[in-house]
Amino acid sequence: MELDEVAARVVRSYWVLLTAMTVLPLTLVALWMSGREPAAVAHARLQAGGAAADAAAGEAGASVLVSQVKAFATSESLLTEVLREQRVDRSARKVAKAVEVTGLGTSNVVELSVKDRDPGVAQRLTDAIAIKVVRQLTHSGQDAIRAQLDEIDERIGKLEDKLGPLARRAGGPAPDIAAANERERVQSELSGLRSNRSDLLTQLTAAGSASVVQHAVPAPRTDPTVMMAAIAGLAGLVGGVLIAVVAEMVRPTIPGQRRVARRLGVPLLGWADRGPAQLADLGRRVRLAAKKEDVGRVTLVGAPGPLPPSLVSAVASAVYGDETRPVRTASAYGTAHRGASENAEDAGDGPSLNSDGPGGRSGTSVVRSGGGTALMATKPGEVSPSETTQPVAVRRACHVHAFEDIDPGADDTVGVVVVVGRVTTVAGLETVRDLVAASGWPLLGVVATSRKATTRMTARRPAQGRETEE
């Protein structure tokens, strides 16, 4: 199945659903947002220092830093403390949802923003949260080093307390060799611990501390009505497309009249509701198709369902054509011509289309489709009197009926013409195929209409078919 056919199936069959699913959410969100004042936003910028900055190098490090700052800024304990200090009556959980943290490229600077209905409250909360987060970042980078320094200092103190007695025992009048060995071991350990302590102090000095590089400033107010309405409309459209796809899977359709003709393997004969010119062209094509299949009766079939009587009547009229057809002749207006005209009038066919030309030298003879023959007046000097009444050949009778008016017991072969609208269900197309397969009638072609081709009728109206001989 081609992509354009899939799009046509969804759009043509369910355009009302798609329009409603797009316009309704868009309108509701726009009305809901129009009555609300946009929330105020305040921004502050923080910078991680020292080792934290080195750890935040690159995109991965910047992402880690943003996650760390957001974890601190949205912690319930920190927000509860900030709200208590600022004396703001807000819920910590709601404030946490209003906090946003974004990175600035791959730098170690992040932007912290807080949204609130009161601009002053938003600015105060942003500043307070930024200060708390900076302290957390500073402590998180230095606490581990300080804890190691405390452990080393405690160990050094214990070893120094132990080193004094060992030195006295090893340097006494009777040197204690074991004490001397233990003193050497303690001195060696003390030397290593002091070296480690010096390294940790260097790291602590290099670690530095985080800082607030920009205090809270109010952001320009923007109206999110348009954006929110557009998002709602887009979401509704996506939902409508999904519903249409599911409905199409359950009840598949074929968009377009030409695609139906291709599916059936027959030509598109024409349009039944695009003006007299198109209707006349349709009649000629139906007659040609009936002549090709050598059938004298044509039935119009909906796909599926009965057709409106007005539609059947319009197609039938187009197939029958004019009831009289003038034929130009070069005859003189003699007795034979007047007799033919008088006979035509006496027969109740109405006045003849003949008109005397200047001097009675030229005229028009009539060929009527309702009779079996027609008389042509000619010049007496050119043809014999017997040739004056020679019958003119007429075209084969062509009967056009709705399918409901066809007698299934008749022996005539009937040509089937399918009338379809803009969208045709696959199930309706299968009913046409079943009809053709069961009856053995030839399928002549497809007639297109701009609107729905079938109608629901509580009672079938009288037959609208007409017949003619041309």
Side-chain angles (χ1 to χ4, degrees):
M1 185 180 297
E2 299 177 356
L3 184 60
D4 62 337
E5 182 175 350
V6 175
R9 288 172 63 178
V10 173
V11 175
R12 291 190 183 184
S13 302
Y14 304 97
W15 66 270
V16 176
L17 172 66
L18 297 180
T19 304
M21 291 292 291
T22 303
V23 174
L24 188 60
L26 188 149
T27 305
L28 292 178
V29 172
L31 292 175
W32 179 63
M33 293 293 295
S34 62
R36 302 184 62 183
E37 185 178 357
V41 181
H43 298 279
R45 293 186 178 183
L46 317 178
Q47 181 180 25
D54 296 336
E59 294 183 1
S63 177
V64 170
L65 181 60
V66 169
S67 301
Q68 186 179 16
V69 171
K70 188 166 187 178
F72 289 147
T74 56
S75 63
E76 188 170 357
S77 59
L78 184 146
L79 292 177
T80 303
E81 184 178 355
V82 167
L83 292 172
R84 184 176 62 253
E85 291 176 355
Q86 298 296 322
R87 297 180 181 179
V88 176
D89 186 15
R90 298 286 190 276
S91 170
R93 292 185 178 181
K94 290 185 178 180
V95 174
K97 294 179 180 179
V99 174
E100 292 291 338
V101 179
T102 56
L104 301 177
T106 58
S107 67
N108 63 333
V109 179
V110 296
E111 187 173 72
L112 172 69
S113 63
V114 179
K115 186 184 299 183
D116 193 86
R117 60 179 179 270
D118 187 345
V121 172
Q123 191 169 356
R124 286 161 50 199
L125 290 179
T126 303
D127 264 334
I129 294 174
I131 293 173
K132 294 287 184 181
V133 169
V134 163
R135 291 177 183 174
Q136 294 276 4
L137 287 174
T138 302
H139 292 162
S140 66
Q142 297 180 356
D143 285 351
I145 299 176
R146 293 184 182 278
Q148 293 181 16
L149 285 173
D150 291 341
E151 291 179 0
I152 290 175
D153 289 342
E154 184 180 358
R155 180 62 179 169
I156 288 175
K158 291 181 179 180
L159 291 177
E160 287 178 346
D161 293 341
K162 189 177 180 180
L163 185 61
L166 291 175
R168 286 192 296 270
R169 288 170 54 190
D176 188 345
I177 297 177
N181 292 335
E182 181 67 16
R183 183 187 63 182
E184 293 296 330
R185 187 191 67 78
V186 170
Q187 287 178 344
S188 176
E189 186 177 356
L190 280 173
S191 177
L193 289 174
R194 289 190 179 102
S195 176
N196 292 338
R197 188 175 186 279
S198 177
D199 293 340
L200 290 175
L201 287 175
T202 303
Q203 293 179 17
L204 184 62
T205 304
S209 60
S211 61
V212 178
V213 297
Q214 175 186 300
H215 288 280
V217 292
R221 288 202 174 190
T222 58
D223 190 0
T225 303
V226 176
M227 183 184 67
M228 294 298 294
I231 293 175
L234 182 61
L237 178 61
V238 172
V241 170
L242 293 178
I243 295 174
V245 169
V246 173
E248 190 65 25
M249 292 173 61
V250 176
R251 181 178 172 271
T253 59
I254 303 173
Q257 297 86 345
R258 191 167 296 280
R259 288 189 177 93
V260 174
R262 286 203 300 262
R263 288 284 187 97
L264 293 175
V266 294
L268 180 62
L269 299 176
W271 294 80
D273 55 357
R274 287 193 175 181
Q278 292 278 357
L279 197 58
D281 183 66
L282 170 63
R284 288 189 292 268
R285 296 191 181 194
V286 172
R287 289 197 299 269
L288 288 173
K291 180 181 178 182
K292 176 184 176 182
E293 297 294 338
D294 194 23
V295 295
R297 297 166 66 85
V298 174
T299 179
L300 301 181
V301 179
L307 298 172
S310 59
L311 176 61
V312 178
S313 179
V315 176
S317 298
V319 173
Y320 303 145
D322 296 333
E323 294 184 353
T324 61
R325 179 169 60 88
V327 178
R328 298 291 301 178
T329 64
S331 62
Y333 282 76
T335 305
H337 178 275
R338 293 191 184 95
S341 300
E342 292 172 359
N343 292 338
E345 294 181 7
D346 293 340
D349 290 337
S352 171
L353 295 182
N354 299 326
S355 60
D356 293 337
R361 295 182 180 179
S362 63
T364 304
S365 189
V366 176
V367 177
R368 293 193 179 274
S369 60
T373 61
L375 300 181
M376 296 182 62
T378 58
K379 290 183 180 180
E382 295 180 358
V383 295
S384 62
S386 61
E387 292 177 339
T388 304
T389 58
Q390 183 178 358
V392 177
V394 295
R395 286 185 285 190
R396 184 178 181 180
C398 185
H399 307 261
V400 178
H401 299 281
F403 177 69
E404 292 76 15
D405 300 324
I406 293 294
D407 182 10
D411 295 332
D412 296 342
T413 301
V414 181
V416 179
V417 174
V418 185
V419 183
V420 297
R422 294 186 302 122
V423 178
T424 305
T425 62
V426 174
L429 204 62
E430 291 301 325
T431 60
V432 175
R433 286 175 173 163
D434 294 340
L435 169 64
V436 173
S439 63
W441 295 342
L443 187 59
L444 303 183
V446 173
V447 173
T449 61
S450 301
R451 297 178 296 274
K452 188 176 180 181
T454 59
T455 182
R456 301 287 183 183
M457 294 186 295
T458 56
R460 187 164 59 86
R461 295 180 60 179
Q464 298 292 329
R466 298 167 55 191
E467 58 186 57
T468 184
E469 296 176 358
E470 297 181 346

